[in-house]
Amino acid sequence: MLNHEVNKRFKDRIASGGALLLPGAANALAARVIEDLGFEAVYLSGAGLTNTYLGMPDLAFISLPEIAQHTATIRDATDLPIVVDADNGFGNGLNVRHTIRTLERAGASAIQLEDQKTPKRCGHFSGKEVVSLEEARSRIKAAVDARQDENTMIVARTDAAATDGLSEALDRAAAFIEDGADITFVEAPQTVEDLRAIPAALQGTPQLVNLVVGGKTPILSVDEFTRMGFSLVLYANVALQSALFGMQTALTQLKEQGQMDEDGPLAGFMERQRVVRKDLFDELDKRYAY
């Protein structure tokens, strides 16, 4: 499917109402699992990519070329819309323009930018700092101007709730909407009351809520978030955290027992081949045989 068709489908789905459950992927295999299980979209997590690709914490170690490479591999592996975490755009408005153009070419359906200073931190870490409102708005304006497909959505995230309070974060989100952001994302609200206040204050524009298992934001059901008025319910790293747990479990058993068979805590060989569509590549191999 052509990317502009995927983008249009995703934009229409967001506009249709009801919260969309959005799981994160750190690589193409995770995206394959997410599509196989019937989710409607996938989120390329900057934190997950940093953890998985570099084995490092989410402290601004990932660069634009690495995010673009993984966006492209996920686009090749799935027809799902991809929401791509582009951190703070990697610089000023000119850098943001380059970031948007690069990720849109790589296959992003929506691109998320935040208002943190460099080096940025995970939204659920302490010690975050945000740039001035003027600088933050310049990033969003540059992003909106840079996209080539009108259906590519710009997700404007603010981390100001942690530094200046919820009121400042809501004011920033409202300003980003004025600048053309399609979705806004107030990061790390810490109470149910704060959660309710976000869509109530920003009516008419889709809102994203980020749920980190073990993080700062209360975890509620998708139905509860729909009733509040949220459009996207993001679990950016459930797949990663469960994969880490699975690796620890299986490898502990391997170390303790000295062997592993099909009764172990792992997906079977044939299931692994099914998820990566080996049958498709077998058919292609026959088609192009000489």
Side-chain angles (χ1 to χ4, degrees), residues 64-113:
L64 176 58
E66 290 162 329
I67 294 175
Q69 174 192 352
H70 283 80
T71 301
T73 59
I74 291 173
R75 169 52 61 231
D76 197 43
T78 175
D79 285 331
L80 290 180
I82 310 169
V83 181
V84 179
D85 177 3
D87 288 346
N88 57 12
F90 304 100
N92 63 13
L94 295 179
N95 301 116
V96 169
R97 180 182 188 275
H98 176 59
T99 294
I100 298 300
R101 293 286 180 96
T102 299
L103 295 178
E104 194 175 33
R105 285 196 303 271
S109 301
I111 301 166
Q112 175 192 306
L113 296 165

Side-chain angles (χ1 to χ4, degrees), residues 10-274:
F10 186 50
K11 191 172 185 177
D12 290 346
R13 168 60 184 87
I14 298 300
S16 71
L20 184 151
L21 190 57
L22 181 62
N27 52 46
L29 178 60
R32 287 288 314 133
V33 173
I34 288 165
E35 181 175 49
D36 187 57
L37 291 173
F39 287 96
E40 298 178 77
V42 62
Y43 177 89
L44 175 53
S45 162
L49 179 56
T50 304
N51 296 165
T52 302
Y53 188 57
L54 299 179
M56 298 173 73
D58 184 20
L59 294 171
F61 296 117
I62 283 291
S63 66
L64 176 58
E66 290 162 329
I67 294 175
Q69 174 192 352
H70 283 80
T71 301
T73 59
I74 291 173
R75 169 52 61 231
D76 197 43
T78 175
D79 285 331
L80 290 180
I82 310 169
V83 181
V84 179
D85 177 3
D87 288 346
N88 57 12
F90 304 100
N92 63 13
L94 295 179
N95 301 116
V96 169
R97 180 182 188 275
H98 176 59
T99 294
I100 298 300
R101 293 286 180 96
T102 299
L103 295 178
E104 194 175 33
R105 285 196 303 271
S109 301
I111 301 166
Q112 175 192 306
L113 296 165
E114 64 195 44
D115 58 358
Q116 281 198 52
K117 291 183 178 179
T118 299
K120 59 90 62 188
R121 294 171 175 264
C122 168
H124 288 248
F125 286 175
S126 299
K128 296 183 295 182
E129 295 183 89
V130 297
V131 299
S132 69
L133 177 58
E134 292 74 19
E135 183 175 350
R137 295 187 73 168
S138 75
R139 293 176 183 176
I140 303 306
K141 291 174 183 176
V144 170
D145 288 347
R147 61 185 168 190
Q148 299 295 283
D149 180 356
E150 64 181 2
N151 295 308
T152 301
M153 290 188 288
I154 303 302
V155 182
R157 165 177 151 179
T158 177
D159 287 76
T163 60
D164 301 283
L166 183 64
S167 179
E168 172 65 18
L170 294 175
D171 287 345
R172 285 187 174 223
F176 298 156
I177 292 167
E178 289 181 9
D179 296 329
D182 302 284
I183 298 167
T184 55
F185 168 10
V186 176
E187 175 64 302
Q190 298 189 36
T191 68
V192 173
E193 291 72 25
D194 286 351
L195 283 167
R196 289 197 183 99
I198 294 167
L202 301 166
Q203 294 182 30
T205 300
Q207 299 300 312
L208 182 151
V209 59
N210 180 29
L211 302 179
V212 176
V213 178
K216 297 179 181 294
T217 299
I219 293 179
L220 307 173
S221 71
V222 172
D223 288 343
E224 288 175 291
F225 283 117
T226 295
R227 288 193 291 272
M228 285 183 182
F230 284 94
S231 296
L232 294 137
V233 179
L234 171 63
Y235 279 87
N237 288 296
V238 161
L240 171 59
Q241 287 175 260
S242 62
L244 177 58
F245 178 77
M247 286 190 286
Q248 290 170 331
T249 300
L251 290 169
T252 296
Q253 181 173 318
L254 176 62
K255 183 179 180 182
E256 290 175 348
Q257 299 182 3
Q259 66 180 64
M260 180 69 67
D261 56 31
E262 292 184 0
D263 293 329
L266 41 71
F269 179 78
M270 295 307 297
E271 173 64 6
R272 177 175 141 215
Q273 306 315 316
R274 186 191 68 79

